Amino acid sequence: MEESSYSNLSTSHLLGSVPAVTNEEKKASYEVPEANMQIFPPNNASGGGRGRGYQTLEAPTEFEQQPPNNWSGVFSISSYTQYFNVDTDVVIYRLISSFYPVTGDFFSKIDANPDLYGLIWITTTLVFMLASFGNWATYLMQKHSDGTTSWSFDVGYINAAAVGIYGYAVVVPMAFNFLLQYLGSNASLVRFWCMWGYSFSIFIPTALLLLIPVEILRWIIILIAGSASSCFVALNLKSYIEGANDLKMMVVAAFLLQMALAIFIKVWFFP
C-alpha cells in the first residue's frame, strides 16, 4: 500500500527532522542521597534537671476546677460555676434526703458533686412563700377576730424574709467554716452551703401548713419542722467532724441556731 511505502523513506536528510528515540539510549539516573537520622540529646539529664534538645509534647491534662479553699476563691464567681452543673434528678434526690434527718449521711451523698443550685432555689422559694403566706395568714387571723378587716399586702414581709433567709444561709455556714478551719478541722465551705441550703426545704411545706388559723397548732407545726431541720444540720455536722471531741459544742450551736430560725419564721411571719 502507498502509506507503507511512505513510511520506509529516509528522513535524515530533511531539515529540522528529529531522530527517533531508540531503546538503547541510557536514561539519566538521579541518585537520592541517603537520609541520615540525627539523634538529639534525651530530654532528661543527670541531677534531675531538664536537658537540652527537643522535648516530647505531652498530652494536655484535663482542667479540673477546684473548690475555693482560700478566701480569694470565695469571692470569685468563676469558682462556683461547676457547682451549678447538676441534674434535676440529683436535686430531687437530695431534697428527699433532707426530709430524713436521722441518717446523718448527707455529706457522703454530696461528696462527689456538691451543688449550690439547691441553696439558691430553696432559699428563694422560701423567701417568696414566707412573704406571701405570711401576709395571707395575718389576714386570716385578723379576719377571724374582725369581720370588717380588708386585705392589704405588707411589703415589709419580703424585706424581712430576704434579709433573714439569705443572710442566715450565707453567713452561718461561713462562720462555721471559719471556726472549724481556725480550730484545725478540714472544713469545706461549699459543702456547708449545700447542706444548710437543703436544710431549709422542710420549711417550704411548713409555710403552707402555718396558714391554719389555730395558734397552738401553728406552734406544734413549727416546732416539729424546726426540730427536724435542726437534727438534719446537727447530725450531718457531727458526722463531718467525727473524732474531734472538742468540737461537739459546734454541733450544739448549729442545732440551737436552726431552732432559732424556725422560731423567727413563726414569730415574724405568722404571729
Side-chain angles (χ1 to χ4, degrees), residues 98-129:
S98 65
F99 284 87
Y100 295 91
V102 295
T103 57
D105 59 346
F106 189 77
F107 281 112
S108 63
K109 297 177 181 178
I110 67 172
D111 186 63
N113 183 27
D115 71 277
L116 297 180
Y117 178 82
L119 170 69
I120 295 178
W121 180 78
I122 292 171
T123 53
T124 302
T125 303
L126 183 59
V127 165
F128 283 98
M129 291 190 69

Side-chain angles (χ1 to χ4, degrees), residues 122-246:
I122 292 171
T123 53
T124 302
T125 303
L126 183 59
V127 165
F128 283 98
M129 291 190 69
L130 290 178
S132 57
F133 290 166
N135 274 280
W136 185 251
T138 303
Y139 169 75
L140 290 178
M141 293 295 290
Q142 293 176 355
K143 188 72 174 178
H144 181 73
S145 59
D146 186 5
T148 61
T149 302
S150 59
W151 165 260
S152 62
F153 187 85
D154 188 359
V155 183
Y157 277 51
I158 298 179
N159 298 329
V163 172
I165 301 303
Y166 286 140
Y168 185 96
V170 173
V171 175
V172 171
M174 290 181 66
F176 274 85
N177 177 74
F178 174 78
L179 289 175
L180 288 175
Q181 286 189 349
Y182 179 77
L183 295 175
S185 179
N186 186 17
S188 172
L189 178 58
V190 174
R191 287 172 174 79
F192 282 179
W193 272 335
C194 181
M195 187 267 292
W196 255 282
Y198 281 98
S199 71
F200 298 148
S201 60
I202 196 172
F203 292 121
I204 294 178
T206 301
L208 180 61
L209 294 176
L210 289 176
L211 288 174
I212 301 174
V214 180
E215 186 65 15
I216 185 64
L217 187 57
R218 285 181 174 181
W219 275 107
I220 293 175
I221 292 172
I222 195 63
L223 288 177
I224 293 175
S227 299
S229 180
S230 300
C231 289
F232 175 79
V233 171
L235 293 178
N236 282 286
L237 188 62
K238 179 182 178 182
S239 64
Y240 189 83
I241 60 175
E242 190 174 4
N245 296 324
D246 55 340

Side-chain angles (χ1 to χ4, degrees), residues 62-98:
E62 183 181 358
F63 177 74
E64 295 180 357
Q65 293 181 340
Q66 299 295 331
N69 293 325
N70 48 32
W71 288 108
S72 61
V74 170
F75 300 101
S76 176
I77 298 178
S78 60
S79 301
Y80 302 102
T81 55
Q82 60 175 328
Y83 301 113
F84 293 91
N85 186 18
V86 62
D87 297 332
T88 304
D89 295 337
V90 175
V91 175
I92 294 176
Y93 173 72
R94 293 175 179 179
L95 279 173
I96 296 174
S97 299
S98 65

